[in-house]
Amino acid sequence: MTPASAHDFFVASASVAGALIGLLFVAISVAPERVLGPEASEVHGVRAAATLTAFSNALTVSLFALIPGFHIGGAATAVAIVGILFIARALVSVTPAWRAGRFQLRDLSFLVGQFAAFVVQLIAAIELDGNEASEGGLQTVCVVVVVCFLIGIERAWELVGGPHFSFGRFLEGRRREHEE
């Protein structure tokens, strides 16, 4: 059972996840040919699926955490395993596009980052399965839910064609300004 201290977090998280999933579907439906059509880019398809996976993880973990008497460890474990399998499949499916130069390192790094988040969630969820009162395990699962939101928001931003912001580019620009 989820401790009372995390209840409000999971209520808010479930609400946010539901809203973001709805907005994701709206964004995809505005220009479905970019993601779903025969001319769809592999990159956009993977971005959309990774975004949905991140938001679905947050939603599923949060909703199961809110079921009275339900132990969150099992749900977080199952969802983490599904997430790991999705990311592994996505990495395998984009390998030809990576080799052909149609898939950038940035896209791969996000998949690897999302994979790492699911691995961390799996470890924390297993800890929760073994010790329901584990504050550290619960806190880690909560942090991974937040990380999934951040990953999903970034992927969704890229999916709709938002400009890419890079800290490295920012620093380079500042260095050039300083030299002038």
Side-chain angles (χ1 to χ4, degrees), residues 121-146:
Q121 179 176 312
L122 179 61
I123 292 167
I126 290 170
E127 179 183 333
L128 280 172
D129 277 340
N131 179 9
E132 188 174 328
S134 170
E135 279 292 316
L138 179 62
Q139 188 176 41
T140 301
V141 168
C142 291
V143 168
V144 171
V145 165
V146 172

Side-chain angles (χ1 to χ4, degrees), residues 18 25 36 40 45 58 62 80-81 136 138 162:
F25 284 118
L36 306 171
S62 298
I81 290 170
L138 179 62

Side-chain angles (χ1 to χ4, degrees), residues 42-53:
E42 297 156 320
V43 173
H44 286 84
V46 169
R47 283 179 183 161
T51 303
L52 183 59
T53 301

Side-chain angles (χ1 to χ4, degrees), residues 36-105:
L36 306 171
E39 302 296 318
S41 161
E42 297 156 320
V43 173
H44 286 84
V46 169
R47 283 179 183 161
T51 303
L52 183 59
T53 301
F55 291 157
S56 295
N57 178 71
L59 178 66
T60 305
V61 169
S62 298
L63 289 176
F64 276 109
L66 293 172
I67 297 173
F70 192 86
H71 185 57
I72 187 177
T77 298
V79 178
I81 290 170
V82 169
I84 288 168
L85 292 174
F86 164 76
I87 299 297
R89 185 192 174 287
L91 286 169
V92 169
S93 72
V94 299
T95 300
W98 165 257
R99 288 186 181 139
R102 295 186 314 266
F103 209 77
Q104 298 176 356
L105 179 61

